[in-house]
Amino acid sequence: MIAPLLAASRLLYEGLARPLIFAMRPAQAAHEDVLAALRLADGLPALPVLLGGIRAATQPPRPVAVGGVLLESPLILAAGFVKGDGFADEAAALAAVESGRNIMPGWRSIPALCGLVEFGSFTRWPRLGNSGAVIWRHATSRSTQNRIGLKNPGAAAAAAFLGARRAHLPACFGINVAVSPGVSDPIQEQREAVEALAAFRAAGLQPAWWTLNLSCPNTEDDPGAHQTTARTRDLCAAALGALEGQPAPLWVKVGPDLAPEQYRALMRVFAEVGIGAVIATNTLGQPAPGQPGQTAGVGGGRLHRAALDAAALLLAERRALGCAVDVIGCGGIVDGASYRRFAALGVRAAQYWSALVYRGPLAAAVIQSEARL
Ligand SMILES: Cc1cc2nc3c(=O)[nH]c(=O)nc-3n(C[C@H](O)[C@H](O)[C@H](O)COP(=O)(O)O)c2cc1C
């Protein structure tokens, strides 16, 4: 039953919808179309049940314990898809939540259809993100590129929004909090991460895992600066302090272009402070198409090699240390073969984003089936 359903989904999306979308809509317009549709879909009471039925029929449970969490399947939709609108300030974001507006398109329909989702990234304060062209596709390499610039409603409004909808959130999901770009003072950086996590806890949210994103490549920051040993140790310790007394583990997300020694040193820090898992990796900063001097993060096929190399280095250090920090693969997982390349390294769970564009909304089910998981 599953195989014919997935074949039908591939025919509909890859054979029909994707060629039409790619021919008619540039990446950014297509992304905005999807968000507009999700904004409406979240409000249709019967839809989550229907979408949940489609998922149940196409993605059988494959439980796996990773990073201190029992996941129902090894594939997680990565941060950056369900993250909410951008706002200029917290008062405006909170007023939008208060007005009942859906400021986080997909919050209900995407988990129903895709299964595991990491919400965010959320920063302590709202961000409008970058203006102009910010998302591109490279179809031949099945890649995406973006310089959205951490657009999000900010932790307080995101927490208020999700907290008011707790009863309709999935049983298992993650919340991703990013260090605030542009903050150079480590103490302020720690305070902002702590306050962001505290906002979600105060709203009564109980994710299955938290992720600290150390690595956004398309903001005003040099993400490498957030990933130094001392700064990472202090930041992770502060975040773990903010999470004390609750059961969910803290994961971290690193970039794909650190020096080998830096991955090894970071893994030692993660083991020392008690991180559950490290997501390898975020996007790879490259020149933005047609925008001289701007950087935009590459995901999908063009990221795959670098993400595999980062995961391999982290896993080698994990073995050398004999520590329990898991590595979650992320980067160019668009089919069974790319998933299996991570699995061959010892990865037991993975995140994907670009696969949504190239394989469609049932990407997790399709990849799981192709990888024979
Ligand atoms: C449009 C877009 C927005 C993203 N925003 C975030 C984000 O806010 N936080 C984050 O940790 N990663 C973000 N990412 C990175 C993805 O979570 C993922 O790490 C990256 O795309 C690599 O996975 P992929 O090769 O499957 O695309 C974003 C990616 C894209 C394409």
Side-chain angles (χ1 to χ4, degrees), residues 109-258:
S109 9
I110 288 294
L113 185 61
C114 303
L116 297 168
V117 174
E118 188 168 294
F119 291 80
S121 295
F122 305 112
T123 45
R124 169 63 190 89
W125 303 104
R127 290 174 56 86
L128 279 172
N130 298 318
S131 54
V134 292
I135 310 184
W136 300 267
R137 294 186 288 257
H138 304 262
T140 46
S141 61
R142 293 198 285 188
S143 302
T144 54
Q145 195 167 2
N146 89 88
R147 56 179 303 270
I148 288 185
L150 272 178
K151 168 168 134 181
N152 79 96
F161 181 85
L162 291 173
R165 289 158 182 79
R166 278 202 310 276
H168 301 295
L169 289 174
C172 187
F173 63 96
I175 290 182
N176 176 314
V177 163
V179 292
S180 292
V183 175
S184 54
D185 174 11
I187 302 295
Q188 189 190 342
E189 176 178 81
Q190 289 161 34
R191 189 170 56 240
E192 294 201 5
V194 164
E195 287 177 5
L197 293 167
F200 289 103
R201 291 194 68 183
L205 288 157
Q206 294 178 335
W209 73 93
W210 305 89
T211 295
L212 190 58
N213 175 11
L214 303 168
S215 52
C216 188
N218 50 62
T219 64
E220 55 271 40
D221 264 2
D222 164 17
H226 288 294
Q227 296 169 85
T228 59
T229 316
R231 198 160 163 173
T232 301
R233 181 184 290 109
D234 292 346
L235 184 59
C236 290
L240 284 164
L243 296 175
E244 212 173 310
Q246 59 81 58
L250 179 65
W251 297 356
V252 292
K253 187 166 179 180
V254 297
D257 49 0
L258 306 180

Side-chain angles (χ1 to χ4, degrees), residues 2-345:
I2 290 175
L5 282 173
L6 288 177
S9 144
R10 287 190 58 179
L11 188 71
L12 278 176
Y13 185 76
E14 292 174 50
L16 210 63
R18 189 181 72 189
L20 274 177
I21 296 168
F22 281 21
M24 294 171 64
R25 303 293 276 162
Q28 192 156 336
H31 186 63
E32 279 160 16
D33 293 345
V34 169
L35 293 182
L38 290 172
R39 209 182 290 279
L40 295 176
D42 287 337
L44 303 174
L47 196 64
V49 180
L50 177 68
L51 298 177
I54 295 174
R55 181 167 60 89
T58 52
Q59 196 180 9
R62 287 287 177 269
V64 55
V66 172
V69 185
L70 183 62
L71 302 172
E72 68 208 37
S73 128
L75 282 149
I76 303 169
L77 177 58
F81 196 82
V82 186
K83 67 184 304 187
D85 300 333
F87 290 89
D89 58 68
E90 193 166 87
L94 289 170
V97 175
E98 192 62 30
S99 74
R101 189 176 120 194
N102 182 359
I103 65 156
M104 208 178 291
W107 72 272
R108 193 163 186 195
S109 9
I110 288 294
L113 185 61
C114 303
L116 297 168
V117 174
E118 188 168 294
F119 291 80
S121 295
F122 305 112
T123 45
R124 169 63 190 89
W125 303 104
R127 290 174 56 86
L128 279 172
N130 298 318
S131 54
V134 292
I135 310 184
W136 300 267
R137 294 186 288 257
H138 304 262
T140 46
S141 61
R142 293 198 285 188
S143 302
T144 54
Q145 195 167 2
N146 89 88
R147 56 179 303 270
I148 288 185
L150 272 178
K151 168 168 134 181
N152 79 96
F161 181 85
L162 291 173
R165 289 158 182 79
R166 278 202 310 276
H168 301 295
L169 289 174
C172 187
F173 63 96
I175 290 182
N176 176 314
V177 163
V179 292
S180 292
V183 175
S184 54
D185 174 11
I187 302 295
Q188 189 190 342
E189 176 178 81
Q190 289 161 34
R191 189 170 56 240
E192 294 201 5
V194 164
E195 287 177 5
L197 293 167
F200 289 103
R201 291 194 68 183
L205 288 157
Q206 294 178 335
W209 73 93
W210 305 89
T211 295
L212 190 58
N213 175 11
L214 303 168
S215 52
C216 188
N218 50 62
T219 64
E220 55 271 40
D221 264 2
D222 164 17
H226 288 294
Q227 296 169 85
T228 59
T229 316
R231 198 160 163 173
T232 301
R233 181 184 290 109
D234 292 346
L235 184 59
C236 290
L240 284 164
L243 296 175
E244 212 173 310
Q246 59 81 58
L250 179 65
W251 297 356
V252 292
K253 187 166 179 180
V254 297
D257 49 0
L258 306 180
E261 183 46 43
Q262 203 172 350
Y263 285 114
R264 287 191 274 269
L266 284 176
M267 192 50 147
R268 291 195 287 273
V269 170
F270 299 150
E272 180 192 316
V273 299
I275 295 298
V278 46
I279 302 166
T281 65
N282 210 319
T283 51
L284 178 66
Q286 295 279 293
Q291 297 181 0
Q294 299 290 0
T295 298
V298 168
R302 285 171 56 205
L303 170 64
H304 192 50
R305 187 70 258 163
L308 279 170
D309 289 347
L313 282 162
L314 289 161
L315 282 159
E317 191 62 21
R318 172 194 149 106
R319 279 190 290 275
L321 296 172
C323 72
V325 184
D326 277 317
V327 175
I328 293 177
C330 183
I333 297 178
V334 290
D335 53 19
S338 43
Y339 181 92
R340 280 197 301 271
R341 268 177 226 119
F342 275 101
L345 298 174

